[in-house]
Amino acid sequence: MGSAPGWDHMKAKVQVMKFGGTSVGDAACIARSAQIAAGAAKDSAVVVVVSAMSGVTNRLIDAARRAETGDRQAGAALLDTLRQQHEAVLAALVAAQEARQPVLRRLQEIFAEGQRLYDGTALLRELTPRTLDSISSLGERLSAPLFAGALAALGVRSEAVEATELIVTDAYHGGAEPRMDRTRERCEARLRPLLQTGIVPVVTGFIGATSEGVLTTLGRGGSDYSATILGAALGAGEIIIWTDVDGVLTADPRLVPEARTIPEISYREAAELAYFGAKVLHPKTLREVIPAGIPVWIRNSFAPERPGTVITREGRRIGGGVKALTAIRDVALISVGGPGIVGVPDVVGRTFSTTAELRASVLLISQSSSQNDICFIVSAADAQRTVEALRHEFAQDLAHQVVEHITVDPHIAIVAVVGERMHGTPGIAGQTFNALGRESINIIAIAQGSSETNISFVVEDQAMKAALLATHREFGLHSPLSD
Ligand code: ASP
Ligand code: MG
């Protein structure tokens, strides 16, 4: 049966692909990424999401802070540099003059808007979260028309779309949350018609707008989240995060040279890894796709022949259930205790209301059943004020030696062994601690949540690398897949 042109685009499942900062870092990178998108657009409906060119968001924010001090030059100088950079990339990507003109005009409008934002900030010497969001969004707003131009130059019909038209959020500037119902309606109204006529929308990552139309950002690194929000809104068949690494690795390769790419992991495992600082995904990325079970791929735009990692609901059983290791440094262990606290019912409660009041996020908690001691971990940046607040809270108890000590140890690291199928697999904790014992690595504290998706332990920071190497080998993570 012959089908009319466009039929495929109407029927095919949508593919959302996001290109991160390094994947759009210069003209050659954008050209390579545009080739990838053009290839995919041959047989499915594709939505592209782009980050700012790498480094741009940081520079925009730095200049905004300078403008806040009254510096009128910083913003102007940065915009000049960015103008040269983006125009040079445009010239390299789009040879035809007629095609280049409208993109150039668009870039100029955005630069003019940027100039007004910096001028206003310098004049008022005030940088509200709302203005900071508008300034930080400029990078994505510049890269989307460039990418759309690159696609057009490859003969792919495309249109740059600002996500302020698509992603409706609350008004929490700097870390806004999407309103999915409204976002779904907007995507149906604005993106679906483009997809149905075979046009590839190129959407700005990182940003959205309140229902009143005020621009917001989803938080630093939020373009991943933009991609999954749009994917969920459109009921996409898959989402591909194109980045500069091969996927999710079994461990940080700078610490564990034998680390390798994991072919498939579950949403839960990926979330554990994101939480524990494996910086592959923005921590909120999977939130909206979990209910729909949409697979999310992590792939390397610099080596598109490699398969990458797919994140799915089920994951895939590999080896003994342990998938990956992760470690966090820059944390401190705080301990509150002494024999006097045994049976004092409110010590735990007061300890954690204190951390809650400070908004210090607690990464790990461990208490032995003898109740002699509660220990927990906070980021190094929060350690000092947490200890001070605790000493204040427990001043009376310290005076009467109900609480004997409140101590802090900054020379530690957390190592986590992650794998959803560890659940109900006996022996993993034993194996972990045997391996550490063999290497004479001392364990300071241990925690395993009852979800059994991860076992975390605390070691001296000097021992972290050895702990990673020993457990990586113990669980056979270095060897080719045994699934
Ligand atoms: N450009 C934004 C940032 O650097 C968002 C992103 O790249 O994901 O935070
Ligand atoms: Mg980024």
Side-chain angles (χ1 to χ4, degrees):
M1 194 183 85
S3 49
W7 185 89
D8 284 345
H9 290 291
M10 276 185 246
K11 290 291 172 193
K13 275 277 196 181
V14 175
Q15 203 178 77
V16 177
M17 15 180 89
K18 176 253 174 176
F19 294 93
T22 51
S23 301
V24 296
D26 60 26
C29 295
I30 297 182
R32 195 181 305 115
S33 296
Q35 288 283 359
I36 292 173
K42 286 193 187 120
D43 30 44
S44 48
V46 171
V47 175
V48 169
V49 176
V50 287
S51 286
M53 295 176 73
S54 61
V56 168
T57 313
N58 283 340
R59 284 149 79 199
L60 287 164
I61 294 172
D62 287 347
R65 302 261 176 240
R66 304 250 293 275
E68 188 183 16
T69 67
D71 182 342
R72 289 170 156 270
Q73 273 317 302
L78 173 63
L79 292 177
D80 255 351
T81 318
L82 294 180
R83 181 177 297 117
Q84 284 169 27
Q85 180 188 357
H86 285 78
E87 288 181 3
V89 169
L90 176 64
L93 290 171
V94 184
Q97 182 70 16
E98 333 69 82
R100 211 187 295 164
Q101 267 320 312
V103 182
L104 205 52
R105 265 200 306 279
R106 184 71 197 121
L107 298 185
Q108 274 155 6
E109 283 163 15
I110 299 165
F111 282 117
E113 216 180 301
Q115 190 62 61
R116 286 196 296 275
L117 288 163
Y118 279 123
D119 285 345
T121 304
L123 184 67
L124 298 171
R125 298 188 180 222
E126 184 187 26
L127 181 62
T128 62
R130 174 172 169 167
T131 305
L132 182 60
D133 270 357
S134 292
I135 290 177
S136 355
S137 74
L138 295 167
E140 272 73 10
R141 295 179 60 205
L142 293 167
S143 58
L146 281 186
F147 200 104
L151 278 176
L154 294 173
V156 178
R157 290 162 67 214
S158 63
E159 183 176 326
V161 180
E162 299 206 341
T164 43
E165 292 186 57
L166 305 172
I167 299 180
V168 181
T169 71
D170 63 16
Y172 192 85
H173 287 284
E177 291 291 342
R179 301 246 154 92
M180 285 310 286
D181 290 355
R182 301 289 312 277
T183 301
R184 241 174 232 118
E185 287 165 22
R186 296 276 186 97
C187 288
E188 282 308 321
R190 181 73 172 92
L191 294 184
R192 191 73 70 185
L194 297 178
L195 295 171
Q196 284 172 346
T197 46
I199 294 173
V200 174
V202 179
V203 182
T204 54
F206 185 43
I207 67 181
T210 64
S211 45
E212 292 78 35
V214 178
L215 186 146
T216 54
T217 64
L218 305 172
R220 293 305 310 273
S223 298
D224 294 339
Y225 194 25
S226 309
T228 50
I229 291 169
L230 296 175
L234 290 164
E238 60 184 359
I239 295 159
I240 307 180
I241 310 279
W242 290 97
T243 176
D244 55 5
V245 295
D246 285 346
V248 179
L249 301 191
T250 51
D252 182 341
R254 286 164 302 182
L255 298 167
V256 182
E258 305 160 325
R260 50 169 190 73
T261 310
I262 309 168
E264 182 170 344
I265 62 173
S266 70
Y267 293 137
R268 279 191 37 199
E269 291 164 339
E272 292 277 355
L273 291 172
Y275 178 77
F276 276 103
K279 291 209 175 64
V280 192
L281 277 184
H282 185 275
K284 291 181 190 164
T285 305
L286 298 170
R287 243 183 231 185
E288 306 301 340
V289 296
I290 290 175
I294 304 172
V296 178
W297 290 84
I298 316 283
R299 297 188 60 184
N300 191 344
S301 74
F302 297 84
E305 69 287 355
R306 302 200 188 133
T309 298
V310 63
I311 310 172
T312 59
R313 185 176 281 154
E314 300 299 325
R316 176 151 52 117
R317 191 183 181 96
I318 292 172
V322 172
K323 281 287 179 58
L325 307 176
T326 153
I328 331 186
R329 271 177 287 199
D330 297 324
V331 287
L333 179 82
I334 294 176
S335 142
V336 176
I341 73 167
V342 176
V344 179
D346 64 347
V347 175
V348 176
R350 284 161 64 201
T351 300
F352 295 111
S353 356
T354 307
T355 59
E357 244 164 63
L358 295 174
R359 298 192 158 269
S361 107
V362 175
L363 298 167
L364 179 151
I365 302 172
S366 162
Q367 185 196 6
S368 64
S369 55
S370 72
Q371 304 176 357
N372 269 330
D373 182 89
I374 305 163
C375 68
F376 61 95
I377 292 194
V378 295
S379 73
D382 288 334
Q384 198 47 42
R385 55 194 193 100
T386 305
V387 169
E388 279 161 19
L390 287 168
R391 292 205 172 120
H392 181 74
E393 168 67 31
F394 288 107
Q396 288 287 335
D397 310 75
L398 285 163
H400 298 108
Q401 295 196 341
V402 177
V403 172
E404 283 184 356
H405 68 261
I406 296 177
T407 56
V408 55
D409 180 357
H411 305 293
I412 52 117
I414 306 177
V415 174
V417 174
V418 174
E420 188 162 356
R421 304 283 166 85
M422 283 168 31
H423 176 82
T425 308
I428 290 181
Q431 235 180 308
T432 305
F433 300 125
N434 270 334
L436 297 172
R438 268 201 307 277
E439 302 292 323
S440 313
I441 297 164
N442 181 42
I443 301 164
I444 300 169
I446 302 171
Q448 178 191 283
S450 57
S451 71
E452 299 181 47
T453 324
N454 107 46
I455 298 173
S456 306
F457 52 91
V458 180
V459 293
E460 268 179 46
D461 54 9
Q462 291 162 0
M464 179 185 81
K465 185 171 174 175
L468 286 167
L469 288 169
T471 38
H472 200 267
R473 186 134 330 143
E474 178 67 29
F475 291 109
L477 297 178
H478 59 288
S479 59
L481 299 175
S482 44
D483 49 342

